[in-house]
Amino acid sequence: MSSWFSSVFPNVVQLGWSGDAGWGTSIVQTLFMTFWSAIFGGILGIVFGVVLVLTKDDGIRPNKFWFNICDKVVSIFRAIPFIILLAFIAPVTQKIVGTQIGMKAALVPLTLGVFPFYARQVQVALESVAQGKIEAAQSLGATIWDIIFSIYLNEARSELVRVSTVTIISLIGLTAMAGAIGAGGLGNTAISYGYNRFNNDVTLVATVLVIILIFIVQIVGDFFAKKLNHQSR
């Protein structure tokens, strides 16, 4: 088996597991960028999504100023192609993490690239909560924080898990482009060590690993979305 694999995928074996171009290193880099960008982008996305729902004209705290600010910020960042965003915010990245190159530097554009996408999905998820439940909570004297956490986020939790899964899968795709600033990862391996060097076996294995990672995220997300949806009935 080992000799067969080495003969069919010689360049894959040559990269090895550790080292700068190793498969283990690429997998860890992809997981690192995905995890932390999902955390930071998720927090920003929920905050902007909640503010958009609360401050819209028929929200429980209508405020045109804050709604327009959040709406425009989300729309502007969604409109910038990610590969351009990497270069556009390089000075900001330098200020925040002290460098414009590498895995940590990629966290800033990845966070700013994914949060507007997630914010819009959070907005839609929260708007699906029945208005009657919100009005009932208000009639019982619930505070705005009670309504946010006990009504909006609690009632929409299954949908939030579903949209979070979609966002994380999109984020994995964005990490492939982060290789443009030296962040590494499976996407960078597929392009730099596979496509650019005509090593098709490397491109194939890197693609399969990304697909496996996406399948795992989808399966876990579907499980928790169904579980929470069942519990909310």
Side-chain angles (χ1 to χ4, degrees):
M1 181 67 179
S2 177
S3 59
W4 173 84
F5 189 85
S6 298
S7 63
V8 177
F9 302 99
N11 300 300
V12 173
V13 175
Q14 188 177 12
L15 285 180
W17 183 255
S18 58
D20 292 341
W23 289 100
T25 304
S26 295
I27 293 171
V28 170
Q29 289 169 336
T30 296
L31 293 177
F32 177 89
M33 289 186 286
T34 302
F35 178 80
W36 287 112
S37 299
I39 295 294
F40 298 139
I43 292 172
L44 277 177
I46 287 180
V47 170
F48 273 78
V50 168
V51 172
L52 284 169
V53 171
L54 296 181
T55 59
K56 65 181 182 178
D57 287 342
D58 57 348
I60 61 175
R61 289 290 188 277
N63 186 312
K64 287 187 176 180
F65 175 78
W66 283 113
F67 179 84
N68 286 329
I69 289 290
C70 292
D71 186 61
K72 296 297 181 295
V73 169
V74 169
S75 296
I76 289 171
F77 276 98
R78 281 199 70 183
I80 303 175
F82 183 68
I83 195 69
I84 296 175
L85 183 66
L86 284 170
F88 179 68
I89 65 163
V92 178
T93 302
Q94 178 76 41
K95 291 285 186 184
I96 295 176
V97 297
T99 178
Q100 300 180 17
I101 299 174
M103 195 166 50
K104 290 184 179 178
L107 296 182
V108 178
L110 284 171
T111 298
L112 295 179
V114 79
F115 101 84
F117 177 73
Y118 187 54
R120 287 299 186 203
Q121 294 189 85
V122 169
Q123 181 184 5
V124 173
L126 299 185
E127 286 176 345
S128 69
V129 175
Q131 190 65 26
K133 292 183 179 179
I134 299 167
E135 292 173 352
Q138 287 178 305
S139 66
L140 294 173
T143 66
I144 187 170
W145 297 110
D146 292 332
I147 294 174
I148 290 173
F149 288 102
S150 300
I151 305 298
Y152 274 124
L153 297 180
N154 186 51
E155 291 294 327
R157 57 189 180 182
S158 177
E159 185 64 12
L160 288 174
V161 170
R162 191 187 67 77
V163 300
S164 297
T165 302
V166 174
T167 302
I168 292 172
I169 290 173
S170 298
L171 184 55
I172 293 172
L174 294 182
T175 64
M177 286 184 273
I181 58 171
L186 290 169
N188 181 63
T189 298
I191 299 300
S192 298
Y193 298 98
Y195 179 77
N196 289 345
R197 301 183 184 186
F198 302 100
N199 296 331
N200 294 330
D201 56 335
V202 173
T203 305
L204 174 63
V205 171
T207 304
V208 169
L209 289 174
V210 170
I211 292 173
I212 291 173
L213 181 58
I214 288 173
F215 276 1
I216 292 173
V217 171
Q218 186 69 64
I219 291 170
V220 173
D222 287 345
F223 171 79
F224 282 106
K226 288 179 182 177
K227 189 176 180 64
L228 292 174
N229 186 47
H230 177 72
Q231 289 178 349
S232 65
R233 291 177 181 173

